[in-house]
Amino acid sequence: MPRSTSVPSSHRTSAALALTIFLAAGTGSAHAAATGVASLRWLNPSPQGNPVSALDFESESIGYAVGGYGTTLRTTDRGETWVSLTDPLIFGITLRDVLVLAPSDLLAVGEGTGVYRSTDGGTSWRSVANPSTAPLSQIERVGTQLSVVGDDGQRIVSIDEGRTWSMAAPTGVTRPRDQAWLDPQHGWVVGEPEVAETTDGGATWSVLSFPFASYADIQFLDGQEGYLASTFELYRTTDAGASWIPTPLGPPGPLYLREQVVYSRDHRFFITDGEGADMWETTDDGATWSVSYARTATVGYSDLVELPSGRLVVSSTDGDLLHSDDQGHTWTNTTLGPGDEDRIALWHVRQSTNGRAFAFGYDEDWLRTEDDGLTWTRESPPNGYGPYELEFWSDGLLGLGSGTGANVAKTTDGGLTWSERVVTSGGFAALAGIEIVDENTIFLAYLGSGAVRVFRSTDGGDTWEPRSNGIPANAEEIRCLSFVDENVGYVAGGWFTAAGHMMKTTDGGANWFSVPTPDLGGSRIWDMHWLTADHGFAGSRYDIWETTDGGTTWASALEAPCWSMAWRGDRGCIVWFGSNVLQITLDGGSTWTSVEVPVSGYFFDATWVDDERLWLSAPGSRLVEVTLLSPSDVPEAETTAPILADWLVSPNPATDRVRIDFNSSYAGIAHLSWFDVGGRRIADDAVSLRESTSSLPATIPPGHAGSVLFLRITLPDGTVGTRPVTVVR
């Protein structure tokens, strides 16, 4: 679910204080530049790139996959193709496991309120009331009972196919990954970092004496022989778990075993989850091992299903879904996207004026699209090495691309063909940036180590001259540059001394002088943008800084980290590589909105495609398009007096969950809706209330720390109540 909060860029002691003042003033409406996510489209890969956590099939043909931000996929052809049913703007809860109860009837567990049900084959989900207090991770059918384990050792059970749930005795496993049962009385729960056993149906549990590790899979070949996989060891029991003996792993080092198929005692097949993406096989009971299938740049595999026909279907943490018909020796990846065998870390994405676009990083290849991101082609860039920067201007001079060394590549046909230009014969580190002022005037800067690190071209990039007078050689790194016109520009970066953080020129780079910068708290300036010669923004690890007097004085415009900036006129977007939250301004920085993109992971870069659309690049060859809400789409805040009387939301302030208590009892479906201070609906949920229920849990939409949200509840009898909830870190 997209999360957003608007904060004016002045009087910024904290986001929470700014929003509290805003509410207390009683304006009841959003700032003019408030925004959020209107829609999301995966550009690469297809159908999506969120992690897939779990698989289950209702038949040989029909199966389901679930994962991050409500990811739900369905196949009707044995995993040959998958259709995404995901709409994270409606249901964005991360699901960790799924179980098919009956055709089209699914039960899933995960974050938020913990238990979710779909009766339409994964098209929609609703919450199921349950007593969980932390995220749930794995569900198993144990005889006539459903057993669900979750974080902090919790276990909940259902005896009516998931309609109602009760809390069972804690297992003692901090973060469970799997459970296995020989019968309804004798079972195990394994996880991080414990292994626990019960012999009385879960009434009591004993944590067994195993080395401190992550245990991911436990299963039995028959009533006596079973296997337990950990990061570093594989254990076997031949006496129904009375004793566990380490067995040979074969290759040196940790395998990060995730799950296995036991064909026989001698023949076993493994998928891994961790450092690497190998699949391993042994046919001699572990005496020797071989890599059955290997990929690069994949975090790991997450689940494995064997269909009645013997087909293996595997999900991965980069969103790929694969299948094999020969016991894992060869695989077909059904997720479409160039480079799905060895993903590219896409540090940048850029689009030319004719619609052609490129996504690239430090790898030797890049991705190119000719059709607004519908399809992408992987190819080698013109320089023959990974490009670091790419900028476009017009049809006459559409761009420059460069990698290591002191050369650039120029295109005059929108990137269809390129020709190399020599900047200087000296050696340089990677480019820090390219700034195209107009068709003729272009500046570029190198990170440094040479005596000359800034160059200018006045003929559209054909020839270059050094423009570094005043910039110390072999000193502070240059990380970014920004020019207002052909004369006024800035370079910034630094690390060690305040004097090296930013320098300015007023004569087209002929001379440079130091500009004061704020206390960056030990950080450098990662990126910057100047709207005018005096008005600019600089981003560091901790703050976005603003000046309106050419750098003489600075103020914190936003308490948020910055890795890169993208601007289109007064529209700005700030990206931090450790987060999926964007900082957006639509009015030149007067107001900023924190927008959480409902995608797992983080982004490296953004580019404005038009006034409403952003393209975002990420690791793993992932590209996402986000369409923003315009200010005119933002309704008034929902602040009417509640119809439902005498009800309580606690705790308040809260971090991630609240409990709703009301005096009367209800049975049926309760509807919960969350709104931000602009009145935008940011999350919806439907909760099944058991007979005589007088309380229920609710999960706060993530990404709103330091803000105030409104929670509206509609009870089965039609009564409605609204309460403000202050969200704290």
Side-chain angles (χ1 to χ4, degrees), residues 446-479:
Y446 288 93
L447 297 180
S449 62
V452 180
R453 292 187 286 163
V454 178
F455 295 84
R456 182 182 70 172
S457 173
T458 57
D459 56 9
D462 289 328
T463 60
W464 296 86
E465 60 178 335
R467 307 291 280 189
S468 294
N469 185 42
I471 298 178
N474 304 312
E476 303 284 352
E477 285 188 341
I478 295 175
R479 281 286 167 178

Side-chain angles (χ1 to χ4, degrees), residues 75 95-96 172 175 203 211 222 253 322 451 454 470 499 579 584 656 673:
T75 180
L95 302 176
R96 295 183 177 180
R175 189 163 181 244
D222 51 38
L322 307 94
V454 178
S579 172
I584 303 291
D656 56 354
S673 297

Side-chain angles (χ1 to χ4, degrees), residues 72 74 85-86 90-91 104 106 116-127:
T72 307
R74 179 170 59 206
L85 308 175
T86 311
I90 295 177
F91 180 79
S104 298
L106 315 178
Y116 305 91
R117 190 159 194 159
S118 174
T119 55
D120 53 13
T123 301
S124 63
W125 295 91
R126 63 176 176 83
S127 296

Side-chain angles (χ1 to χ4, degrees), residues 110-157:
E111 299 178 3
T113 53
V115 182
Y116 305 91
R117 190 159 194 159
S118 174
T119 55
D120 53 13
T123 301
S124 63
W125 295 91
R126 63 176 176 83
S127 296
V128 178
N130 68 90
S132 67
T133 58
L136 301 174
S137 56
Q138 204 268 343
I139 181 170
E140 194 80 22
R141 185 181 291 279
V142 184
T144 60
Q145 186 182 82
L146 297 178
S147 170
V148 172
V149 292
D151 292 359
D152 302 328
Q154 64 178 331
R155 178 172 175 260
I156 63 173
V157 296

